[in-house]
Amino acid sequence: MEKGRTYTLKIWRQNNSSSKGAFKTYTIENISPGSSFLEMLDILNNELEAKGEDPVHFDHDCREGICGMCSLFVNGRPHGPEEEITACQLHMRSFKDGETIVIEPWRAKAFPVIKDLVVDRSAFDRIIQAGGFISVNTGPLPDANEIPIPKQNADLAMDAAACIGCGACVAACKNASAMLFVSAKVSQLALLPQGNAERKRRALAMVDQMDQEGFGACSNTGACAAECPKGIDLTNIARLNREYLTASFAGAE
Amino acid sequence: MKIDAKIPSGSIAEKWSKHKFNLKLVNPANKRKYDIIVVGTGLAGASAAASLGELGYNVKAFCYQDSPRRAHSIAAQGGINAAKNYMNDGDSVYRLFYDTVKGGDYRAREANVYRLAEVSNNIIDQCVAQGVPFAREYGGLLSNRSFGGAQVSRTFYARGQTGQQLLLGAYSALSRMIAAGKVKMYPRTEMLDVVLVDGKARGIITRNMVTGAIESHSAHAVVLATGGYGNVFFLSTNAMGCNASAAWRAHRKGALFSNPCFTQIHPTCIPVHGDQQSKLTLMSESLRNDGRVWVPRTTELAEKVRKGVLKANDLPEEDRDYYLERIYPSFGNLVPRDVASRNAKYVCDEGRGVGETGLAVYLDFRDAIKRDGVNTIKAKYGNLFQMYEKITDDDPYKVPMMIYPAVHYTMGGLWVDYNLMTTIPGLYAAGECNFSDHGANRLGASALMQGLADGYFVIPYTIGDYLAGIGQAKVDTSHNAFKEAEAEVKKRIDTLLNVKGTKTVDQYHKELGKLMWDYCGMARNAEGLKFAKAEIQKLRQEYWQNVKLLGTNEEMNMTLEKALRVADFMELGELMVDDALMREESCGGHFREEHQTEEGEAKRDDENFAFVAAWEYKGENKPAELHKEELVFENVKLTQRSYK
């Protein structure tokens, strides 16, 4: 086994949403390159607790890159330096021995900091509540194979549906726009025949809610897609724009 | 206490429809007069909350995550079973029922399992209608694959993210009901106790995880959909926040806890890499469709592989032991999980394991890639291979994966009757947090099926029957029962915060986990279990005298959250050991070394142990009392499970 590595960590500390935050510097030693980034933070927290210092709060849950809970801005990039993974899938082998690592929360007006690296992303939930669903009740429904769906469309819908709602797109965007997130859901449902009945209302309502939440405008720089841990494609935004325009001209049904 | 499973009479195929007709109904106009609490927003919780909201009830839903979309159902990879028989390969409701009872090593309740198989087809219809993008064939119809323990292809999937897609489907239904005002959602809120009034569940006590506020919520009924307790073992494939506290608190208030020792050790996880590890990652069982499991033929060869003198790919065919294919020719690499896990343990115990620690076996795609081409394998498992490479830094297209069993699922849970009601009237348990459908071993792709069956198609029917019988009167949260429960919760929190000891919560959790894994893991024996019990008791005593917590209750305090959960894990861990000690047989995931056949297979004792163990809490430091629900098998013949 390779010997442990040492890192300097500059971490954003903030007591609660109303207090002012600041960076604090820590040194951590003897970290195995096979450790995950969050395990490194666990170790730091164990050391802090042992010393009687308040541990660094950060959101995390599944630790396998699917729940979307982890939300760390590492060295200036959402989820850190590697492509198409979340912070919880990041490993210390991606950082050189002795490196300084800067860790911040997502920065966006619509994602207020709750504590340290924890932010409030409930705006995303409210956008989904505005229309990110197909209105069917639980109950007897037509057989699942009644409507054949071309594999190509099903695959594209799945590509869009892979969004984990982590908010990296917002954190990456200089305008803190949520277009990639909204477009992923709108695309998934617009690509499927089941979603057709409500597609106009959906596009208008979700975009409206997005604006109300205080997310910025999209200026097509593509930072969102570049940093998305699930590789959600920029063409989804084009599709959303088309859906939105069509719905605006036609008026919601 | 006498337990009554309330299994309806009649033939197995007509029990559920007959029962549905016999259940009392709540008039549509009256449903809005009833409040229902749903705790947990995974597949079972989100589907139940959404469906109950659609029916017209007032629902309050709770989750500890920042959003209901993040519950750990989201991490399920492989798929969901249903008896559609789209593949025309001989599947049927009866076969799914039969496979599930057999797969569970004959420790599940027949009537529940049959109902599960019966509603499985509705689930697929429901999910497709919601826009779940299941995998499809070029003709546009749904695609299926095979999973362990079955000889038909009945598993529906959405790449390697089936749990995510099903959960997002349920979450979208839930979101729709939140927007409609029928469900009030409380994220970042943890349930810390259940409140009983006149012996009935009438509400819960919660802690707001942002402000620390302790709050009371009242309702006519409470549904727990709080998942399993795999995190008792510290290292598991569960999410970091998964915990048993809601179920355990309910147990302490009178809900019996069933078969706690039935835990599932999943055979295909990424091996442990060192003592800094906090979490294990599962590789979907679907990989066993094409991957071949093997270890070097001899200990000498394995030793060379471990030292890096030999590489896996250097080993010629005759030096590889494809042990599952060798021992179980008819099921091969697709034997059920318990069998696959145990055999991995055996070969590693023999010294034939690979990897740095010797605690790993190979899962090799070389032959599948040769047969189908790299693109086909990539299309099927691309994201799993990518995930593996990110974690291990090995490319599974070129070298075999290394896997080892890890704690994954808990078949045990709160005892429920046919209506999914616990022994506390008005308290329901759905999904992994109940014990009902998987017996001693769950088959792959059946957890998603059960979670959604309970939430979409069972609870919405059965809860009405109960509500119709108790009347519309509400209990106010100013009631003494709420005040007392709140005070108790606050006292518990204060006690923990004021211990001000020297060891962190995580250290205790790790020690508990190691005891559980070593003595109540893949193989158990009486001596080890007795030792573990004594050690857990010691650890628990020490915990309350020496645990170190920082901060206060009145803020976001993740150490406090964890400290409360670990305290409950310790009590539950002891009950798991008690249960494992009591069950003098081997079945499914419960393997007692004293009870095995000459070939090392699990040896059941149907004469003495064909029952569900249901434990009653008798008070602090008092032994739990065992109740037995005898299992009657009228349809499935009990045989030794054979996958040879």
Side-chain angles (χ1 to χ4, degrees):
Chain A
M1 255 197 206
E2 206 177 322
K3 78 169 183 52
R5 300 176 178 184
T6 303
Y7 298 100
T8 304
L9 307 172
K10 287 179 83 169
I11 302 178
W12 184 261
R13 303 299 311 259
Q14 181 173 338
N15 245 342
N16 51 52
S17 52
S18 50
S19 67
K20 238 179 124 178
F23 281 105
K24 212 169 162 191
T25 306
Y26 304 90
T27 306
I28 189 157
E29 292 169 348
N30 207 18
I31 296 296
S32 142
S35 276
S36 78
F37 194 80
L38 300 191
E39 278 161 11
M40 183 274 294
L41 287 179
D42 291 339
I43 295 164
L44 173 73
N45 277 344
N46 253 312
E47 288 175 7
L48 290 179
E49 284 181 32
K51 281 193 282 190
E53 287 180 47
D54 194 22
V56 178
H57 279 62
F58 59 97
D59 266 330
H60 63 100
D61 203 24
C62 78
R63 296 211 178 187
E64 42 192 278
I66 194 74
C67 76
M69 190 116 174
C70 63
S71 45
L72 301 178
F73 206 71
V74 182
N75 285 348
R77 294 183 65 183
H79 296 302
E82 303 287 333
E83 304 299 316
E84 296 203 7
I85 53 170
T86 56
C88 67
Q89 293 174 295
L90 189 59
H91 282 74
M92 294 314 291
R93 67 177 86 91
S94 298
F95 300 90
K96 288 195 286 288
D97 194 11
E99 197 173 331
T100 297
I101 306 171
V102 183
I103 311 170
E104 297 168 79
W106 285 172
R107 308 264 190 201
K109 188 176 125 200
F111 290 164
V113 171
I114 294 175
K115 183 173 182 172
D116 296 338
L117 306 168
V118 177
V119 298
D120 178 354
R121 286 168 288 186
S122 52
F124 270 12
D125 287 325
R126 289 187 293 274
I127 293 175
I128 297 294
Q129 286 156 22
F133 48 77
I134 291 171
S135 299
V136 286
N137 283 355
T138 305
L141 288 160
D143 184 86
N145 258 350
E146 202 123 297
I147 315 167
I149 300 174
K151 182 173 175 358
Q152 197 191 352
N153 288 1
D155 285 349
L156 281 174
M158 179 63 216
D159 289 343
C163 168
I164 56 174
C166 65
C169 47
V170 175
C173 177
K174 63 185 165 77
N175 303 328
S177 164
M179 280 290 273
L180 193 65
F181 169 77
V182 175
S183 71
K185 187 48 80 180
V186 167
S187 288
Q188 177 203 340
L189 300 179
L191 282 158
L192 298 170
Q194 304 94 302
N196 206 33
E198 297 167 281
R199 67 195 291 175
K200 289 182 188 142
R201 196 199 70 80
R202 178 180 306 118
L204 294 175
M206 289 179 74
V207 169
D208 184 44
Q209 188 65 37
M210 171 180 81
D211 292 340
Q212 282 182 43
E213 296 290 346
F215 291 103
C218 173
S219 50
N220 282 314
T221 59
C224 51
E227 296 290 21
C228 174
K230 294 294 149 185
I232 304 295
D233 200 90
L234 217 50
T235 52
N236 289 303
I237 295 188
R239 193 177 289 108
L240 169 61
N241 284 332
R242 199 165 58 235
E243 291 291 316
Y244 185 77
L245 267 177
T246 317
S248 302
F249 286 134
E253 65 270 23
Chain B
M1 185 182 290
K2 202 178 159 319
I3 52 175
D4 175 7
K6 303 205 174 94
I7 298 168
S9 59
S11 78
I12 191 95
E14 48 184 41
K15 280 184 200 291
W16 179 230
S17 15
K18 220 171 101 183
H19 188 63
K20 276 193 289 188
F21 181 74
N22 289 332
L23 290 170
K24 287 196 282 284
L25 298 172
V26 178
N27 173 308
N30 282 339
K31 288 202 174 84
R32 68 176 72 96
K33 294 172 185 159
Y34 289 95
D35 304 328
I36 300 171
I37 283 172
V38 179
V39 188
T41 58
L43 288 179
S47 59
S51 305
L52 292 167
E54 289 161 7
L55 285 171
Y57 297 111
N58 303 309
V59 180
K60 281 181 167 190
F62 297 81
C63 70
Y64 72 78
Q65 299 89 344
D66 72 328
S67 161
R69 67 178 291 152
R70 308 210 195 277
H72 198 53
S73 306
I74 204 153
Q77 299 168 353
I80 176 166
N81 288 329
K84 284 281 194 188
N85 192 32
Y86 284 162
M87 297 295 117
N88 196 32
D89 56 359
D91 201 7
S92 62
V93 167
Y94 198 85
R95 189 177 296 281
L96 175 53
F97 153 71
Y98 192 96
D99 286 349
T100 308
V101 173
K102 179 186 171 196
D105 218 354
Y106 309 98
R107 290 296 174 264
R109 197 189 278 155
E110 273 193 346
N112 285 53
V113 178
Y114 192 89
R115 174 176 64 191
L116 175 68
E118 197 178 335
V119 303
S120 68
N121 292 338
N122 299 72
I123 296 172
I124 302 303
D125 300 341
Q126 186 70 36
C127 295
V128 166
Q130 286 170 346
V132 170
F134 282 122
R136 286 174 185 271
E137 304 293 346
Y138 282 102
L141 301 184
L142 293 160
S143 178
N144 285 136
R145 61 184 169 199
S146 335
F147 251 61
Q151 285 178 311
V152 293
S153 289
R154 61 160 74 101
T155 306
F156 295 78
Y157 63 101
R159 297 204 184 128
Q161 294 124 278
T162 317
Q164 179 199 27
Q165 293 311 315
L166 297 177
L167 182 63
L168 293 182
Y171 162 75
S172 72
L174 175 64
S175 296
R176 176 173 160 248
M177 283 300 108
I178 294 171
K182 289 313 294 178
V183 177
K184 171 120 179 68
M185 185 68 226
Y186 295 81
R188 291 199 197 270
T189 306
E190 185 152 19
M191 168 186 156
L192 293 181
D193 213 347
V194 55
V195 179
L196 272 58
V197 175
D198 300 328
K200 295 188 179 73
R202 291 310 296 255
I204 61 171
I205 308 293
T206 59
R207 179 173 180 273
N208 178 319
M209 293 158 75
V210 177
T211 65
I214 305 297
E215 286 158 343
S216 288
H217 301 272
S218 152
H220 293 86
V222 176
V223 179
L224 299 186
T226 52
Y229 49 89
N231 272 345
V232 168
F233 291 85
F234 184 72
L235 282 178
S236 81
T237 66
N238 283 189
M240 301 299 284
C242 291
N243 68 84
S245 286
W248 189 254
R249 291 287 124 190
H251 173 61
R252 288 178 56 118
K253 284 281 170 81
L256 301 193
F257 206 104
S258 275
N259 302 335
C261 81
F262 288 170
T263 48
Q264 176 162 84
I265 317 279
H266 196 292
T268 50
C269 298
I270 297 178
V272 178
H273 66 70
D275 56 7
Q276 293 181 332
Q277 196 154 356
S278 62
K279 145 91 196 177
L280 296 173
T281 305
L282 175 81
M283 299 307 296
S284 167
E285 173 165 302
S286 62
L287 293 169
R288 286 198 275 143
N289 270 301
D290 287 299
R292 297 179 71 192
V293 177
W294 65 277
V295 288
R297 191 174 45 81
T298 63
T299 51
E300 293 75 32
L301 284 167
E303 170 104 35
K304 281 187 191 159
V305 171
R306 285 197 294 271
K307 285 190 174 146
V309 183
L310 268 175
K311 296 261 181 284
N313 284 334
D314 298 340
L315 262 72
E317 210 55 27
E318 62 271 19
D319 283 341
R320 299 169 172 215
D321 178 15
Y322 297 94
Y323 57 90
L324 290 177
E325 296 172 24
R326 173 171 57 79
I327 309 172
Y328 308 98
S330 68
F331 278 70
N333 294 299
L334 284 175
V335 289
R337 292 174 173 177
D338 53 336
V339 179
S341 291
R342 205 148 48 238
N343 280 280
K345 180 185 187 313
Y346 288 156
V347 294
C348 291
D349 287 353
E350 282 166 32
R352 295 198 288 145
V354 294
E356 268 175 25
T357 56
L359 292 175
V361 300
Y362 289 126
L363 178 64
D364 199 341
F365 289 85
R366 186 192 63 178
D367 297 347
I369 290 172
K370 226 185 278 170
R371 185 186 66 224
D372 299 339
V374 94
N375 287 336
T376 306
I377 297 300
K378 200 174 215 161
K380 277 192 191 166
Y381 311 112
N383 62 324
L384 296 171
F385 278 33
Q386 182 214 22
M387 181 165 99
Y388 181 84
E389 188 176 353
K390 297 278 183 207
I391 294 174
T392 61
D393 219 11
D394 275 341
D395 178 0
Y397 292 102
K398 298 197 177 107
V399 295
M401 281 186 179
M402 282 193 278
I403 53 164
Y404 197 68
V407 175
H408 178 57
Y409 186 90
T410 50
M411 282 74 68
L414 291 173
W415 184 89
V416 288
D417 63 15
Y418 188 72
N419 296 317
L420 302 186
M421 184 148 72
T422 67
T423 47
I424 298 175
L427 182 72
Y428 291 77
E432 189 179 350
C433 99
N434 74 32
F435 86 101
S436 74
D437 295 353
H438 307 295
N441 173 57
R442 179 176 64 74
L443 290 180
S446 284
L448 303 187
M449 172 172 68
Q450 188 222 336
L452 290 180
D454 289 0
Y456 282 135
F457 297 109
V458 181
I459 294 259
Y461 285 93
T462 58
I463 210 165
D465 182 63
Y466 171 77
L467 294 174
I470 62 160
Q472 297 160 5
K474 297 192 186 214
V475 176
D476 196 81
T477 52
S478 61
H479 190 284
N480 242 348
F482 281 95
K483 293 297 145 208
E484 280 167 22
E486 266 189 39
E488 214 172 296
V489 163
K490 283 181 187 155
K491 199 177 124 206
R492 216 165 110 77
I493 290 173
D494 283 343
T495 311
L496 276 170
L497 284 169
N498 286 318
V499 175
K500 297 190 192 303
T502 60
K503 256 162 80 176
T504 63
V505 177
D506 254 12
Q507 282 172 297
Y508 281 103
H509 193 187
K510 272 187 191 176
E511 281 181 43
L512 172 70
K514 189 162 174 4
L515 281 170
M516 296 303 294
W517 179 249
D518 288 347
Y519 301 104
C520 198
M522 262 189 289
R524 300 131 180 211
N525 62 55
E527 196 191 345
L529 288 166
K530 282 178 190 153
F531 174 78
K533 182 175 164 73
E535 289 298 305
I536 294 169
Q537 284 175 340
K538 265 193 265 172
L539 195 67
R540 190 152 63 88
Q541 272 181 0
E542 194 198 306
Y543 186 75
W544 287 93
Q545 284 156 14
N546 193 33
V547 71
K548 178 173 185 162
L549 272 73
L550 299 166
T552 64
N553 175 56
E554 287 71 32
E555 59 181 333
M556 178 172 265
N557 187 339
M558 291 185 178
T559 321
L560 171 62
E561 290 161 18
K562 182 138 201 222
L564 288 160
R565 296 169 189 164
V566 171
D568 290 335
F569 282 149
M570 289 196 181
E571 294 182 20
L572 172 55
E574 194 180 331
L575 188 67
M576 288 163 73
V577 168
D578 283 338
D579 189 47
L581 201 52
M582 175 281 297
R583 195 165 277 278
E584 289 276 358
E585 65 162 351
S586 293
C587 57
H590 170 64
F591 191 77
R592 280 287 297 269
E593 286 168 348
E594 302 95 324
H595 304 286
Q596 51 183 307
T597 64
E598 276 171 22
E599 296 150 313
E601 299 292 337
K603 199 167 151 195
R604 282 199 330 266
D605 177 354
D606 293 330
E607 205 168 310
N608 296 304
F609 289 94
F611 63 80
V612 173
W615 297 91
E616 183 183 357
Y617 184 78
K618 299 302 269 186
E620 208 83 50
N621 296 319
K622 290 194 186 121
E625 186 184 334
L626 175 66
H627 301 269
K628 296 178 185 176
E629 179 198 335
E630 296 299 332
L631 289 168
V632 184
F633 293 92
E634 288 169 340
N635 299 279
V636 180
K637 202 170 142 257
L638 286 110
T639 52
Q640 194 200 326
R641 273 193 317 165
S642 171
Y643 292 96
K644 296 194 166 160

